[in-house]
Amino acid sequence: MNIDARYSRQELFSPIGPEGQARIRAARVLIAGCGGLGSNSANVLARAGVGFLRIVDRDLVELTNLERQLLFEESDARDGAPKAVAAARHLAAINSEVRVESVVADIGTDNIFDLLQGIDLVLDGFDNLQARYLLNDACTKHNVPWIYASCVSATVMAGLFVPGKTACFRCLHRDLPEPGAVRTCDMAGIIAPAALVAASIQASIALRFLTGKALPETSLIVADAWDLSLDRIVVSRDENCPCCALKQFDFLNMAGQQAITLCGRNAVQVRAVFERRPDFKALAGRLGAVGAVRVNDHLLRLDAPPYELTLFEDGRVIVKGTPDPKLARSLVARWVGV
Ligand SMILES: [Zn+2]
């Protein structure tokens, strides 16, 4: 097999070689969340030549993201671009050989199986634990391998879970912790090198897996981008694991919450308030009396200080300016009429 000039350095790396590169090119990967983890992992995988990337994210690019999300630019934040859309645009400019599909949506019980269709591997780019437990259930049930990764402050964790072969996320952490029990980036902060170390480790695990060179056991990688330490811990399967042993998919059976506080962001997401895609233009006309309104192809944003409402075409509304779900729902009812 000839060496492809574009990927020549990667192919010269003997564990990959031209054969590994062909496997990478044939791979279909889902990036579940495109923030500090997902955007950087997607960047590495697109440059490595992964053939297809499906990028799913619910948020918009904000100025505070730019410090550690290397895929995005000031113009993305200024335009209020959805992260999935901005990522797809930048990745197409980085590597036109890669097919990128962007999905602006919140991953939940209602859409996770559709998003897993035709996917060989999922990269966890989530910013919350509940979504990880849901992904673990869905991937275990449908035999899709996934790579956990998280980074808060300077601490990084990552590991590959292959249904039927390795331990799963619930073997590692049986139950969802109480709200507030786990540190988040909004409370503890984060430094860019931690996000990049996490994304690099996640991408390394992905390249190993896609080329058939995954580590034989479940390994949890724990690193610190400030202390500059890295450890590898072997995780055993739990014979009583509710997910991979007993096949009780508790998180798939959980009904989605109608309104959730977005951790530490003084914002609430209200879900599924529309039956159909709202008519943003008509709505913009009505909301002109309430505050400044901006509309683009993907969303409507109402600036009514101290609140800001962003309506997405999939029926979500993000209310900024309050952490209170009740108040957020009432603002949506008052202004959007649902
Ligand atoms: Zn398990």
Side-chain angles (χ1 to χ4, degrees), residues 177-183:
E178 292 296 308
V182 175
R183 291 190 312 164

Side-chain angles (χ1 to χ4, degrees), residues 100-183:
V100 184
E101 179 185 305
S102 62
V103 182
V104 183
D106 193 15
I107 297 179
T109 51
D110 53 338
N111 61 5
I112 194 157
F113 292 127
D114 288 341
L115 294 170
L116 288 175
Q117 291 303 311
I119 289 297
D120 303 313
L121 176 69
V122 182
L123 265 56
D124 159 20
F126 288 125
D127 60 359
N128 71 91
L129 269 172
Q130 190 157 344
R132 282 193 184 106
Y133 280 89
L134 175 68
L135 181 66
N136 187 57
D137 273 8
C139 284
T140 304
K141 188 171 179 186
H142 289 259
N143 278 317
V144 183
W146 69 284
I147 304 174
Y148 158 64
S150 71
C151 55
V152 175
S153 183
T155 309
V156 168
M157 279 189 257
L160 169 70
F161 297 112
V162 183
K165 284 195 177 160
T166 70
C168 83
F169 190 67
R170 286 193 85 180
C171 294
L172 182 64
H173 298 294
R174 170 71 69 93
D175 295 312
L176 190 63
E178 292 296 308
V182 175
R183 291 190 312 164

Side-chain angles (χ1 to χ4, degrees), residues 13 34 48 51 82 85 89 96 131 135 144 146 162 173 182 188 191 196 251 299 312 330:
F13 180 67
C34 195
V85 173
R89 191 171 62 240
S96 58
L135 181 66
V144 183
W146 69 284
V162 183
H173 298 294
V182 175
I191 51 172
L196 295 170
F251 293 86
L299 55 89
F312 294 82
S330 80

Side-chain angles (χ1 to χ4, degrees), residues 8-271:
S8 62
R9 301 304 186 276
Q10 187 166 285
E11 291 187 20
L12 281 168
F13 180 67
S14 60
I16 293 182
E19 193 187 318
Q21 190 61 42
R23 284 175 171 233
I24 290 168
R25 188 177 295 119
R28 297 172 58 89
V29 174
L30 170 66
I31 308 284
C34 195
L37 274 168
S39 67
N40 292 318
S41 298
N43 197 343
V44 177
L45 292 192
R47 287 172 193 274
V50 169
F52 174 82
L53 295 173
R54 178 175 293 150
I55 298 184
V56 188
D57 193 279
R58 66 184 179 194
D59 285 327
L60 309 177
V61 179
E62 294 180 60
L63 205 55
T64 58
N65 302 148
L66 301 186
E67 167 254 345
R68 65 198 172 281
Q69 300 179 22
L70 273 56
L71 203 50
F72 303 126
E73 300 173 356
E74 286 182 356
S75 61
D76 299 322
R78 220 169 25 239
D79 298 344
K83 287 184 177 180
V85 173
R89 191 171 62 240
H90 294 307
L91 292 172
I94 286 166
N95 189 347
S96 58
E97 294 177 1
V98 176
R99 279 207 302 131
V100 184
E101 179 185 305
S102 62
V103 182
V104 183
D106 193 15
I107 297 179
T109 51
D110 53 338
N111 61 5
I112 194 157
F113 292 127
D114 288 341
L115 294 170
L116 288 175
Q117 291 303 311
I119 289 297
D120 303 313
L121 176 69
V122 182
L123 265 56
D124 159 20
F126 288 125
D127 60 359
N128 71 91
L129 269 172
Q130 190 157 344
R132 282 193 184 106
Y133 280 89
L134 175 68
L135 181 66
N136 187 57
D137 273 8
C139 284
T140 304
K141 188 171 179 186
H142 289 259
N143 278 317
V144 183
W146 69 284
I147 304 174
Y148 158 64
S150 71
C151 55
V152 175
S153 183
T155 309
V156 168
M157 279 189 257
L160 169 70
F161 297 112
V162 183
K165 284 195 177 160
T166 70
C168 83
F169 190 67
R170 286 193 85 180
C171 294
L172 182 64
H173 298 294
R174 170 71 69 93
D175 295 312
L176 190 63
E178 292 296 308
V182 175
R183 291 190 312 164
T184 69
C185 295
D186 300 287
M187 290 186 287
I190 180 166
I191 51 172
L196 295 170
V197 166
S200 294
I201 292 172
Q202 192 178 40
S204 270
I205 297 171
L207 293 180
R208 285 198 73 126
F209 175 78
L210 294 174
T211 54
K213 305 276 170 56
L215 294 169
E217 71 284 337
T218 319
S219 298
L220 182 70
I221 315 293
V222 182
D224 191 296
W226 193 253
D227 294 344
L228 301 170
S229 61
L230 192 142
D231 291 298
R232 202 161 97 193
I233 301 158
V234 174
V235 181
S236 311
R237 286 183 82 158
D238 175 354
E239 285 175 14
N240 297 310
C241 172
C243 178
C244 69
L246 306 178
K247 311 285 188 217
Q248 293 167 8
F249 302 115
D250 300 329
F251 293 86
L252 282 176
N253 298 328
M254 235 179 229
Q257 284 171 289
Q258 224 224 323
I260 54 165
T261 304
L262 299 177
C263 201
R265 285 173 49 187
N266 197 30
V268 176
Q269 175 177 272
V270 181
R271 288 197 64 176

